[in-house]
């Protein structure tokens, strides 16, 4: 299972984003994280975070990631979206559950 968090903020708020980042708790061992960032002069910073974990941990991961993103709510111009993604096996298992319900 994967959650993708896309976030963005104005270039001039980068210092505030870094401050908030430094205060975050460590990512639990059951989550693997990959981060990609891009900047566009005059447009700001965009970040694409991929958090991968076993589907059995979805409740814990969801709670952790939503609490994590709240650390940035005080940053002016910060925006985000968070979306779950499933691999093929997870989709098939999920679909089978729906079909049998």
């Amino acid at each position: 299972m994967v959650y993708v968090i896309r976030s963005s903020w104005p270039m001039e708020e980068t210092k505030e984003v870094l401050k908030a980042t430094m205060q975050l708790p460590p990512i639990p061992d059951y989550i693997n994280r990959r981060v990609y960032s891009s900047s566009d002069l005059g447009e700001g910073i965009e970040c694409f975070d991929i958090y991968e974990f076993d589907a059995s941990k979805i409740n814990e991961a969801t709670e952790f990631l939503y609490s994590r993103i709240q650390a940035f709510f005080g940053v002016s111009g910060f925006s985000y979206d968070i979306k779950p993604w499933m691999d093929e096996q997870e989709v098939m298992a999920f679909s089978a559950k729906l079909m049998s319900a």
Side-chain angles (χ1 to χ4, degrees):
M1 178 112 214
V2 171
Y3 268 117
V4 174
I5 299 178
R6 292 181 0 176
S7 57
S8 63
W9 58 90
M11 188 82 69
E12 62 272 10
E13 294 297 324
T14 299
K15 188 174 182 178
E16 293 303 313
V17 169
L18 290 174
K19 273 196 234 178
T21 301
M22 298 302 289
Q23 296 176 5
L24 292 172
I27 295 173
D29 290 341
Y30 65 87
I31 297 177
N32 293 315
R33 178 182 182 218
R34 293 182 12 217
V35 179
Y36 302 92
S37 296
S38 182
S39 63
D40 194 0
L41 197 57
E43 294 294 318
I45 308 291
E46 187 172 8
C47 194
F48 190 81
D49 292 41
I50 301 170
Y51 297 88
E52 186 174 17
F53 52 91
D54 187 274
S56 68
K57 295 285 195 178
I58 190 165
N59 291 336
E60 296 94 327
T62 300
E63 185 177 317
F64 175 78
L65 294 173
Y66 273 99
S67 68
R68 182 177 178 84
I69 204 72
Q70 290 176 10
F72 301 96
F73 286 179
V75 176
S76 180
F78 181 84
S79 64
Y80 77 98
D81 69 13
I82 182 170
K83 191 173 183 179
W85 292 79
M86 293 181 264
D87 66 23
E88 184 177 5
Q89 289 178 342
E90 291 164 335
V91 169
M92 296 304 279
F94 182 73
S95 297
K97 282 184 184 179
L98 289 178
M99 299 289 283
S100 66

XYZ file of all heavy atoms in Angstrom:
820
model
N 0.853 -1.175 0.000
C 0.000 0.000 0.000
C 0.895 1.232 0.000
O 1.960 1.227 0.605
C -0.871 -0.038 1.245
C -1.775 1.123 1.423
S -3.452 0.524 1.230
C -4.203 1.891 0.475
N 0.426 2.249 -0.644
C 1.199 3.481 -0.752
C 0.281 4.676 -0.517
O -0.861 4.685 -0.981
C 1.822 3.597 -2.169
C 2.446 4.949 -2.392
C 2.847 2.504 -2.397
N 0.778 5.636 0.217
C 0.143 6.954 0.268
C 1.071 7.907 -0.455
O 2.289 7.865 -0.267
C -0.019 7.455 1.710
C -1.332 7.110 2.357
C -1.374 6.301 3.479
C -2.524 7.621 1.868
C -2.576 5.991 4.089
C -3.730 7.311 2.472
C -3.754 6.497 3.583
O -4.946 6.195 4.181
N 0.479 8.762 -1.270
C 1.240 9.815 -1.929
C 0.739 11.138 -1.370
O -0.467 11.401 -1.362
C 1.058 9.767 -3.462
C 1.744 10.961 -4.118
C 1.600 8.464 -4.026
N 1.674 11.933 -0.877
C 1.340 13.276 -0.410
C 2.029 14.263 -1.333
O 3.247 14.263 -1.466
C 1.789 13.519 1.043
C 1.100 12.540 1.979
C 1.499 14.977 1.444
C 1.531 12.671 3.440
N 1.224 15.078 -1.993
C 1.760 16.162 -2.814
C 1.554 17.448 -2.038
O 0.450 17.732 -1.573
C 1.028 16.243 -4.155
C 1.309 15.078 -5.042
C 0.617 15.166 -6.358
N -0.188 16.363 -6.516
C -0.826 16.686 -7.606
N -0.787 15.911 -8.644
N -1.547 17.793 -7.678
N 2.615 18.201 -1.885
C 2.502 19.459 -1.155
C 3.233 20.555 -1.925
O 4.106 20.282 -2.750
C 3.073 19.320 0.261
O 4.413 18.892 0.225
N 2.842 21.778 -1.633
C 3.512 22.916 -2.254
C 3.445 24.106 -1.309
O 2.595 24.169 -0.418
C 2.876 23.255 -3.605
O 1.533 23.643 -3.445
N 4.377 25.041 -1.522
C 4.423 26.250 -0.718
C 5.221 27.294 -1.474
O 6.037 26.980 -2.342
C 5.018 25.975 0.659
C 6.405 25.413 0.617
C 7.584 26.110 0.616
C 6.774 24.032 0.556
N 8.650 25.258 0.562
C 8.186 23.965 0.516
C 6.057 22.837 0.516
C 8.879 22.768 0.446
C 6.743 21.650 0.450
C 8.143 21.619 0.423
N 5.001 28.572 -1.124
C 5.768 29.640 -1.762
C 7.250 29.546 -1.390
O 7.593 29.134 -0.278
C 5.153 30.922 -1.195
C 3.847 30.514 -0.605
C 3.981 29.080 -0.216
N 8.106 29.919 -2.300
C 9.553 29.861 -2.096
C 9.964 30.554 -0.788
O 10.789 30.027 -0.046
C 10.254 30.509 -3.293
C 11.751 30.361 -3.304
S 12.311 28.783 -3.945
C 11.872 28.915 -5.655
N 9.353 31.682 -0.486
C 9.746 32.456 0.696
C 9.334 31.792 2.014
O 9.750 32.224 3.088
C 9.201 33.890 0.629
C 7.702 34.004 0.609
C 7.086 33.941 -0.788
O 7.794 33.625 -1.767
O 5.879 34.200 -0.880
N 8.547 30.731 1.952
C 8.137 30.005 3.162
C 8.993 28.758 3.415
O 8.729 28.007 4.359
C 6.661 29.616 3.076
C 5.718 30.803 3.092
C 5.793 31.613 4.378
O 5.976 31.012 5.455
O 5.665 32.842 4.303
N 10.017 28.549 2.612
C 10.852 27.355 2.747
C 11.488 27.248 4.124
O 11.551 26.159 4.710
C 11.924 27.319 1.638
O 11.255 27.279 0.372
C 12.821 26.110 1.772
N 11.920 28.358 4.689
C 12.519 28.329 6.022
C 11.509 27.810 7.056
O 11.867 27.011 7.930
C 13.016 29.721 6.398
C 13.808 29.762 7.675
C 14.385 31.154 7.914
C 15.220 31.183 9.161
N 15.829 32.493 9.387
N 10.263 28.229 6.949
C 9.226 27.768 7.876
C 8.929 26.284 7.682
O 8.699 25.549 8.647
C 7.949 28.594 7.725
C 8.101 30.039 8.162
C 8.561 30.166 9.611
O 7.993 29.470 10.486
O 9.488 30.954 9.875
N 8.935 25.833 6.438
C 8.727 24.409 6.156
C 9.864 23.594 6.768
O 9.641 22.558 7.390
C 8.603 24.151 4.636
C 8.665 22.668 4.318
C 7.312 24.760 4.103
N 11.083 24.063 6.616
C 12.232 23.357 7.193
C 12.148 23.319 8.712
O 12.465 22.296 9.326
C 13.539 23.994 6.734
C 13.872 23.796 5.259
C 15.112 24.601 4.873
C 14.058 22.331 4.928
N 11.719 24.418 9.325
C 11.553 24.437 10.789
C 10.540 23.380 11.230
O 10.769 22.632 12.178
C 11.075 25.819 11.260
C 12.167 26.797 11.528
C 11.594 27.944 12.357
C 11.871 29.259 11.681
N 11.298 30.394 12.419
N 9.409 23.341 10.547
C 8.371 22.356 10.888
C 8.889 20.936 10.664
O 8.644 20.037 11.474
C 7.114 22.605 10.055
N 9.627 20.729 9.591
C 10.177 19.409 9.281
C 11.124 18.933 10.370
O 11.104 17.752 10.750
C 10.905 19.438 7.916
O 9.971 19.835 6.904
C 11.489 18.089 7.570
N 11.944 19.826 10.883
C 12.921 19.456 11.905
C 12.260 19.025 13.217
O 12.874 18.346 14.028
C 13.887 20.611 12.172
C 14.720 21.000 10.950
S 15.706 19.659 10.291
C 16.932 19.517 11.556
N 11.010 19.410 13.424
C 10.305 19.072 14.661
C 9.443 17.815 14.548
O 8.828 17.392 15.515
C 9.442 20.258 15.096
C 10.262 21.471 15.435
C 9.411 22.676 15.769
O 8.184 22.604 15.836
N 10.063 23.801 15.984
N 9.417 17.205 13.371
C 8.595 16.015 13.164
C 9.191 14.799 13.857
O 10.411 14.649 13.907
C 8.472 15.723 11.666
C 7.678 16.721 10.851
C 7.824 16.400 9.362
C 6.217 16.721 11.257
N 8.334 13.913 14.343
C 8.843 12.656 14.902
C 9.393 11.784 13.768
O 9.019 11.972 12.601
C 7.603 12.022 15.534
C 6.455 12.621 14.810
C 6.873 14.003 14.404
N 10.253 10.843 14.094
C 10.791 9.958 13.052
C 9.684 9.111 12.421
O 8.656 8.827 13.046
C 11.797 9.092 13.787
C 11.543 9.284 15.233
C 10.766 10.537 15.416
N 9.915 8.697 11.208
C 8.972 7.841 10.504
C 9.099 6.422 11.066
O 10.215 5.919 11.226
C 9.261 7.876 8.995
C 8.989 9.295 8.485
C 8.422 6.852 8.246
C 9.376 9.532 7.075
N 7.973 5.775 11.380
C 8.033 4.415 11.936
C 8.739 3.441 10.986
O 8.736 3.638 9.767
C 6.555 4.029 12.082
C 5.799 5.309 12.042
C 6.606 6.265 11.238
N 9.305 2.410 11.566
C 10.041 1.409 10.792
C 9.187 0.706 9.730
O 9.724 0.223 8.744
C 10.636 0.349 11.724
C 11.776 0.895 12.559
O 12.350 1.947 12.198
O 12.101 0.275 13.585
N 7.886 0.633 9.944
C 7.037 -0.083 8.984
C 6.708 0.748 7.739
O 6.060 0.247 6.810
C 5.747 -0.577 9.654
C 4.813 0.526 10.132
C 3.876 1.085 9.281
C 4.884 0.987 11.441
C 3.027 2.081 9.715
C 4.037 1.977 11.886
C 3.111 2.527 11.021
O 2.278 3.512 11.462
N 7.163 1.998 7.693
C 6.928 2.862 6.538
C 8.252 3.162 5.844
O 9.222 3.567 6.488
C 6.268 4.198 6.958
C 4.890 3.957 7.570
C 6.166 5.145 5.759
C 4.201 5.222 8.073
N 8.266 2.977 4.532
C 9.405 3.392 3.710
C 9.004 4.669 2.978
O 7.914 4.730 2.398
C 9.768 2.319 2.685
C 10.300 1.077 3.344
O 11.120 1.151 4.247
N 9.809 -0.074 2.916
N 9.881 5.658 3.000
C 9.566 6.963 2.422
C 10.551 7.332 1.331
O 11.757 7.152 1.472
C 9.615 8.028 3.518
C 9.356 9.426 3.011
C 9.475 10.416 4.149
N 9.178 11.759 3.694
C 9.800 12.836 4.102
N 10.759 12.730 5.012
N 9.490 14.020 3.645
N 10.005 7.874 0.245
C 10.817 8.454 -0.817
C 10.258 9.843 -1.096
O 9.044 10.033 -1.134
C 10.767 7.596 -2.074
C 11.452 6.267 -1.816
C 11.537 5.299 -2.963
N 11.218 5.749 -4.282
C 10.582 5.007 -5.177
N 10.189 3.794 -4.861
N 10.348 5.455 -6.380
N 11.150 10.810 -1.279
C 10.738 12.200 -1.455
C 11.357 12.757 -2.733
O 12.539 12.553 -2.990
C 11.186 13.075 -0.262
C 10.767 14.522 -0.462
C 10.651 12.536 1.040
N 10.539 13.463 -3.481
C 10.996 14.154 -4.672
C 10.507 15.589 -4.589
O 9.352 15.835 -4.255
C 10.442 13.491 -5.940
C 10.826 12.044 -6.038
C 9.998 11.052 -5.534
C 12.033 11.667 -6.610
C 10.356 9.714 -5.606
C 12.406 10.334 -6.688
C 11.556 9.361 -6.183
O 11.909 8.045 -6.256
N 11.383 16.533 -4.859
C 11.022 17.948 -4.795
C 11.436 18.646 -6.073
O 12.392 18.244 -6.738
C 11.701 18.636 -3.608
O 11.253 18.096 -2.397
N 10.736 19.708 -6.364
C 11.050 20.525 -7.525
C 10.736 21.977 -7.181
O 9.832 22.257 -6.394
C 10.199 20.074 -8.715
O 10.512 20.827 -9.852
N 11.489 22.870 -7.748
C 11.201 24.284 -7.537
C 11.091 24.966 -8.893
O 11.710 24.567 -9.872
C 12.293 24.954 -6.696
O 13.522 24.909 -7.375
N 10.269 25.980 -8.905
C 10.064 26.760 -10.109
C 10.144 28.223 -9.698
O 9.301 28.691 -8.915
C 8.704 26.420 -10.712
C 8.538 26.911 -12.132
O 9.473 27.523 -12.673
O 7.455 26.666 -12.707
N 11.159 28.913 -10.163
C 11.383 30.300 -9.782
C 10.098 31.104 -9.982
O 9.495 31.092 -11.045
C 12.519 30.887 -10.609
C 13.138 32.160 -10.086
C 13.674 31.979 -8.676
C 14.257 32.622 -11.006
N 9.676 31.751 -8.944
C 8.455 32.541 -8.986
C 7.191 31.744 -8.695
O 6.154 32.315 -8.432
N 7.279 30.434 -8.763
C 6.116 29.584 -8.524
C 6.147 28.946 -7.148
O 5.112 28.698 -6.561
C 6.031 28.487 -9.590
C 5.758 29.003 -10.983
C 4.381 29.630 -11.117
O 3.407 29.076 -10.579
O 4.295 30.692 -11.751
N 7.326 28.599 -6.641
C 7.436 27.975 -5.331
C 8.013 26.579 -5.400
O 8.640 26.182 -6.381
N 7.777 25.838 -4.342
C 8.318 24.493 -4.178
C 7.164 23.498 -4.242
O 6.097 23.734 -3.673
C 9.022 24.334 -2.811
C 10.050 25.436 -2.577
C 9.620 22.941 -2.656
C 11.266 25.373 -3.450
N 7.410 22.386 -4.904
C 6.441 21.291 -4.915
C 7.168 20.037 -4.454
O 8.299 19.776 -4.845
C 5.875 21.080 -6.312
C 4.763 20.071 -6.327
C 4.054 19.988 -7.670
O 4.518 20.597 -8.648
O 3.043 19.286 -7.720
N 6.511 19.279 -3.598
C 7.109 18.075 -3.028
C 6.162 16.897 -3.259
O 4.944 17.036 -3.133
C 7.344 18.302 -1.537
S 8.416 17.091 -0.777
N 6.742 15.768 -3.600
C 6.003 14.545 -3.887
C 6.580 13.471 -2.975
O 7.701 13.025 -3.177
C 6.222 14.219 -5.372
C 5.362 13.138 -5.913
C 4.055 13.386 -6.291
C 5.871 11.861 -6.087
C 3.267 12.382 -6.825
C 5.093 10.859 -6.617
C 3.790 11.117 -6.989
N 5.859 13.112 -1.908
C 6.315 12.123 -0.931
C 5.568 10.811 -1.157
O 4.345 10.811 -1.264
C 6.003 12.572 0.499
C 6.790 13.770 0.944
O 6.969 14.703 0.146
O 7.209 13.780 2.107
N 6.308 9.719 -1.188
C 5.714 8.392 -1.328
C 6.005 7.620 -0.046
O 7.159 7.453 0.339
C 6.302 7.641 -2.536
C 6.055 8.443 -3.814
C 5.698 6.236 -2.631
C 6.796 7.907 -5.016
N 4.944 7.188 0.619
C 5.049 6.421 1.858
C 4.518 5.025 1.583
O 3.328 4.843 1.336
C 4.234 7.071 2.970
C 4.719 8.448 3.349
C 4.266 9.580 2.689
C 5.637 8.611 4.385
C 4.712 10.846 3.039
C 6.081 9.867 4.740
C 5.620 10.987 4.071
O 6.072 12.223 4.421
N 5.378 4.027 1.638
C 4.989 2.653 1.329
C 4.978 1.828 2.618
O 5.888 1.932 3.441
C 5.968 2.041 0.333
C 5.557 0.682 -0.154
C 6.459 0.159 -1.249
O 7.577 0.675 -1.434
O 6.040 -0.791 -1.920
N 3.929 1.009 2.765
C 3.786 0.199 3.965
C 2.886 -0.982 3.650
O 2.159 -0.988 2.649
C 3.203 1.024 5.123
C 1.929 1.742 4.754
C 0.700 1.146 4.956
C 1.977 3.005 4.183
C -0.466 1.797 4.599
C 0.813 3.666 3.826
C -0.409 3.062 4.033
N 2.915 -1.989 4.505
C 2.055 -3.148 4.352
C 0.608 -2.721 4.602
O 0.329 -1.962 5.529
C 2.475 -4.240 5.349
C 1.726 -5.524 5.107
O 0.608 -5.670 5.655
O 2.257 -6.367 4.366
N -0.301 -3.221 3.787
C -1.712 -2.847 3.899
C -2.297 -3.146 5.274
O -3.245 -2.490 5.699
C -2.526 -3.550 2.815
N -1.724 -4.102 5.997
C -2.217 -4.412 7.346
C -1.988 -3.255 8.315
O -2.583 -3.218 9.388
C -1.546 -5.677 7.875
O -0.161 -5.455 8.102
N -1.147 -2.315 7.952
C -0.829 -1.165 8.806
C -1.562 0.105 8.370
O -1.188 1.210 8.773
C 0.682 -0.892 8.785
C 1.517 -1.988 9.381
C 1.400 -1.946 10.875
C 2.489 -2.770 11.532
N 2.418 -2.700 12.966
N -2.592 -0.025 7.563
C -3.241 1.162 7.001
C -3.781 2.111 8.070
O -3.643 3.322 7.950
C -4.339 0.799 5.979
C -4.783 2.078 5.255
C -5.475 0.066 6.635
C -5.576 1.853 4.018
N -4.374 1.595 9.133
C -4.920 2.479 10.172
C -3.816 3.275 10.856
O -3.937 4.495 11.021
C -5.724 1.687 11.196
C -7.002 1.141 10.605
O -7.535 1.656 9.633
N -7.497 0.061 11.185
N -2.740 2.587 11.234
C -1.628 3.265 11.901
C -0.960 4.276 10.965
O -0.656 5.397 11.357
C -0.573 2.265 12.387
C -1.056 1.300 13.443
C -1.553 -0.026 12.871
O -2.121 -0.050 11.749
O -1.372 -1.040 13.548
N -0.744 3.871 9.719
C -0.084 4.757 8.755
C -0.939 5.983 8.462
O -0.421 7.109 8.393
C 0.230 4.008 7.472
N -2.235 5.788 8.308
C -3.140 6.906 8.030
C -3.104 7.911 9.173
O -2.961 9.125 8.944
C -4.578 6.398 7.809
O -4.575 5.494 6.701
C -5.531 7.543 7.548
N -3.218 7.429 10.380
C -3.175 8.315 11.551
C -1.841 9.054 11.623
O -1.798 10.267 11.848
C -3.396 7.501 12.824
C -3.475 8.345 14.074
C -3.767 7.502 15.305
O -4.620 6.600 15.235
O -3.117 7.762 16.342
N -0.748 8.336 11.426
C 0.575 8.950 11.482
C 0.736 10.039 10.414
O 1.189 11.150 10.706
C 1.670 7.888 11.313
C 3.046 8.477 11.233
C 3.700 8.900 12.376
C 3.676 8.635 10.007
C 4.959 9.474 12.309
C 4.937 9.210 9.921
C 5.580 9.626 11.074
N 0.350 9.745 9.182
C 0.569 10.697 8.093
C -0.316 11.931 8.208
O 0.127 13.049 7.927
C 0.394 10.009 6.744
C 1.457 8.949 6.457
C 1.127 8.184 5.180
C 2.839 9.568 6.381
N -1.557 11.749 8.642
C -2.416 12.930 8.826
C -1.913 13.799 9.982
O -1.965 15.032 9.901
C -3.879 12.536 9.016
C -4.600 12.380 7.701
C -4.795 11.121 7.140
C -5.057 13.488 6.998
C -5.440 10.980 5.925
C -5.698 13.357 5.781
C -5.890 12.097 5.247
O -6.515 11.956 4.036
N -1.406 13.200 11.030
C -0.863 14.014 12.122
C 0.428 14.702 11.674
O 0.708 15.829 12.058
C -0.629 13.185 13.380
O 0.415 12.264 13.195
N 1.201 14.041 10.834
C 2.448 14.612 10.316
C 2.175 15.859 9.475
O 2.831 16.881 9.619
C 3.167 13.543 9.499
C 4.492 13.960 8.943
C 5.132 12.771 8.211
N 6.379 13.120 7.608
C 7.548 13.134 8.229
N 7.622 12.791 9.498
N 8.646 13.479 7.589
N 1.192 15.789 8.602
C 0.916 16.902 7.690
C 0.404 18.128 8.456
O 0.599 19.269 8.042
C -0.036 16.456 6.558
C 0.123 17.336 5.322
C -1.473 16.438 7.000
C 1.391 17.130 4.557
N -0.213 17.898 9.614
C -0.722 19.010 10.415
C 0.382 19.944 10.895
O 0.133 21.112 11.161
C -1.512 18.489 11.614
C -2.828 17.867 11.213
C -3.559 17.268 12.398
O -3.196 17.460 13.548
N -4.605 16.525 12.112
N 1.606 19.449 10.979
C 2.731 20.280 11.421
C 2.973 21.455 10.478
O 3.597 22.444 10.868
C 3.993 19.431 11.529
N 2.445 21.375 9.260
C 2.688 22.416 8.262
C 1.519 23.380 8.104
O 1.590 24.306 7.303
C 3.013 21.761 6.913
C 4.214 20.871 6.981
C 4.081 19.505 7.177
C 5.494 21.402 6.889
C 5.193 18.684 7.260
C 6.611 20.593 6.977
C 6.461 19.232 7.157
N 0.456 23.183 8.854
C -0.734 24.015 8.703
C -0.479 25.492 9.005
O -1.183 26.346 8.497
C -1.885 23.500 9.557
C -2.535 22.247 9.017
C -3.569 21.662 9.704
C -2.117 21.644 7.840
C -4.193 20.513 9.228
C -2.720 20.496 7.357
C -3.774 19.936 8.054
N 0.526 25.810 9.815
C 0.833 27.199 10.133
C 1.688 27.899 9.091
O 1.928 29.097 9.191
N 2.121 27.169 8.068
C 2.970 27.757 7.026
C 2.069 28.437 5.990
O 1.221 27.801 5.371
C 3.849 26.684 6.344
C 4.650 27.288 5.204
C 4.772 26.021 7.363
N 2.275 29.719 5.824
C 1.469 30.502 4.882
C 1.627 29.971 3.461
O 2.738 29.762 2.981
C 1.911 31.961 4.948
O 1.147 32.737 4.058
N 0.503 29.719 2.808
C 0.524 29.263 1.423
C 0.775 27.781 1.241
O 0.826 27.291 0.111
N 0.924 27.036 2.348
C 1.148 25.594 2.251
C -0.145 24.908 1.819
O -1.215 25.189 2.337
C 1.591 25.032 3.608
C 1.860 23.553 3.588
C 3.094 23.074 3.183
C 0.878 22.642 3.951
C 3.356 21.706 3.152
C 1.124 21.278 3.926
C 2.365 20.811 3.519
N -0.050 24.011 0.843
C -1.207 23.217 0.446
C -0.749 21.780 0.213
O 0.438 21.524 -0.007
C -1.879 23.782 -0.806
O -1.003 23.708 -1.904
N -1.687 20.858 0.291
C -1.337 19.450 0.133
C -2.553 18.650 -0.307
O -3.693 19.092 -0.197
C -0.801 18.867 1.444
C -1.891 18.567 2.443
C -2.384 17.272 2.564
C -2.468 19.561 3.214
C -3.407 16.984 3.454
C -3.487 19.285 4.096
C -3.954 17.995 4.219
O -4.966 17.715 5.074
N -2.303 17.473 -0.813
C -3.329 16.454 -0.936
C -2.677 15.124 -0.606
O -1.481 14.939 -0.761
C -4.044 16.452 -2.289
C -3.196 16.014 -3.469
O -2.100 15.472 -3.275
O -3.630 16.215 -4.607
N -3.479 14.246 -0.048
C -2.995 12.932 0.362
C -3.927 11.905 -0.251
O -5.148 12.043 -0.186
C -2.917 12.818 1.905
C -2.358 11.469 2.326
C -4.233 13.100 2.550
C -2.013 11.369 3.816
N -3.323 10.903 -0.887
C -4.131 9.947 -1.618
C -3.540 8.544 -1.484
O -2.343 8.356 -1.691
C -4.160 10.351 -3.085
C -5.142 9.627 -3.934
C -5.179 10.268 -5.316
C -6.221 9.598 -6.177
N -6.280 10.226 -7.499
N -4.390 7.552 -1.153
C -3.899 6.169 -1.093
C -3.843 5.563 -2.497
O -4.663 5.878 -3.358
C -4.943 5.456 -0.241
C -6.190 6.242 -0.444
C -5.773 7.663 -0.702
N -2.845 4.720 -2.693
C -2.698 3.966 -3.936
C -2.468 2.505 -3.565
O -1.821 2.213 -2.568
C -1.504 4.473 -4.744
C -1.701 5.846 -5.285
C -1.567 7.023 -4.609
C -2.079 6.197 -6.608
N -1.827 8.081 -5.424
C -2.140 7.602 -6.671
C -2.356 5.462 -7.752
C -2.482 8.285 -7.828
C -2.689 6.145 -8.906
C -2.751 7.541 -8.934
N -2.989 1.605 -4.385
C -2.820 0.177 -4.133
C -2.088 -0.465 -5.306
O -2.264 -0.031 -6.449
C -4.179 -0.505 -3.973
C -4.932 -0.078 -2.733
S -6.511 -0.944 -2.586
C -7.602 0.274 -3.312
N -1.305 -1.502 -4.999
C -0.693 -2.252 -6.088
C -1.730 -3.248 -6.623
O -2.850 -3.357 -6.108
C 0.613 -2.932 -5.652
C 0.435 -4.022 -4.608
O -0.669 -4.605 -4.491
O 1.414 -4.305 -3.904
N -1.366 -3.976 -7.661
C -2.314 -4.854 -8.333
C -2.917 -5.907 -7.396
O -4.122 -6.150 -7.411
C -1.632 -5.542 -9.518
C -2.566 -6.396 -10.337
C -1.886 -7.021 -11.544
O -0.661 -6.871 -11.710
O -2.594 -7.666 -12.316
N -2.090 -6.522 -6.567
C -2.584 -7.553 -5.643
C -3.562 -6.959 -4.636
O -4.576 -7.578 -4.303
C -1.421 -8.220 -4.924
C -0.603 -9.113 -5.818
C 0.581 -9.730 -5.081
O 0.991 -9.259 -4.034
N 1.124 -10.798 -5.647
N -3.261 -5.769 -4.136
C -4.144 -5.121 -3.165
C -5.479 -4.757 -3.812
O -6.535 -4.911 -3.193
C -3.470 -3.881 -2.583
C -2.300 -4.213 -1.692
C -1.388 -3.043 -1.404
O -1.340 -2.092 -2.214
O -0.714 -3.090 -0.371
N -5.447 -4.300 -5.055
C -6.681 -3.965 -5.773
C -7.537 -5.215 -5.958
O -8.754 -5.189 -5.748
C -6.369 -3.309 -7.138
C -7.614 -3.211 -8.000
C -5.755 -1.938 -6.940
N -6.889 -6.311 -6.334
C -7.629 -7.559 -6.546
C -8.267 -8.045 -5.239
O -9.435 -8.458 -5.227
C -6.707 -8.631 -7.127
C -6.169 -8.279 -8.503
S -7.452 -7.935 -9.715
C -7.896 -9.590 -10.151
N -7.521 -7.991 -4.143
C -8.052 -8.407 -2.846
C -9.203 -7.501 -2.423
O -10.240 -7.970 -1.933
C -6.945 -8.405 -1.796
N -9.048 -6.199 -2.606
C -10.086 -5.233 -2.263
C -11.335 -5.487 -3.107
O -12.461 -5.499 -2.599
C -9.556 -3.813 -2.464
C -10.529 -2.739 -2.106
C -10.841 -2.462 -0.791
C -11.151 -1.995 -3.103
C -11.741 -1.468 -0.455
C -12.057 -0.995 -2.777
C -12.361 -0.730 -1.463
N -11.133 -5.714 -4.405
C -12.260 -5.979 -5.312
C -12.986 -7.259 -4.925
O -14.224 -7.311 -4.970
C -11.760 -6.069 -6.749
O -11.205 -4.842 -7.154
N -12.231 -8.274 -4.543
C -12.852 -9.541 -4.132
C -13.732 -9.333 -2.900
O -14.818 -9.911 -2.804
C -11.761 -10.587 -3.873
N -13.246 -8.507 -1.954
C -14.057 -8.214 -0.758
C -15.356 -7.526 -1.146
O -16.411 -7.818 -0.606
C -13.266 -7.349 0.228
C -12.270 -8.086 1.035
C -11.622 -7.150 2.031
C -10.535 -7.843 2.806
N -9.886 -6.933 3.766
N -15.272 -6.570 -2.064
C -16.468 -5.843 -2.493
C -17.460 -6.773 -3.186
O -18.664 -6.652 -2.986
C -16.086 -4.695 -3.436
C -15.375 -3.500 -2.823
C -15.025 -2.490 -3.903
C -16.259 -2.837 -1.770
N -16.949 -7.676 -3.985
C -17.802 -8.593 -4.753
C -18.521 -9.576 -3.827
O -19.631 -9.988 -4.109
C -16.972 -9.356 -5.787
C -16.307 -8.470 -6.810
S -17.439 -7.724 -7.971
C -17.762 -9.121 -9.026
N -17.885 -9.953 -2.711
C -18.490 -10.935 -1.816
C -19.402 -10.288 -0.774
O -20.093 -10.982 -0.045
C -17.391 -11.748 -1.115
O -16.637 -10.923 -0.250
N -19.403 -8.984 -0.716
C -20.238 -8.295 0.294
C -21.688 -8.197 -0.143
O -22.088 -8.309 -1.215
C -19.691 -6.898 0.548
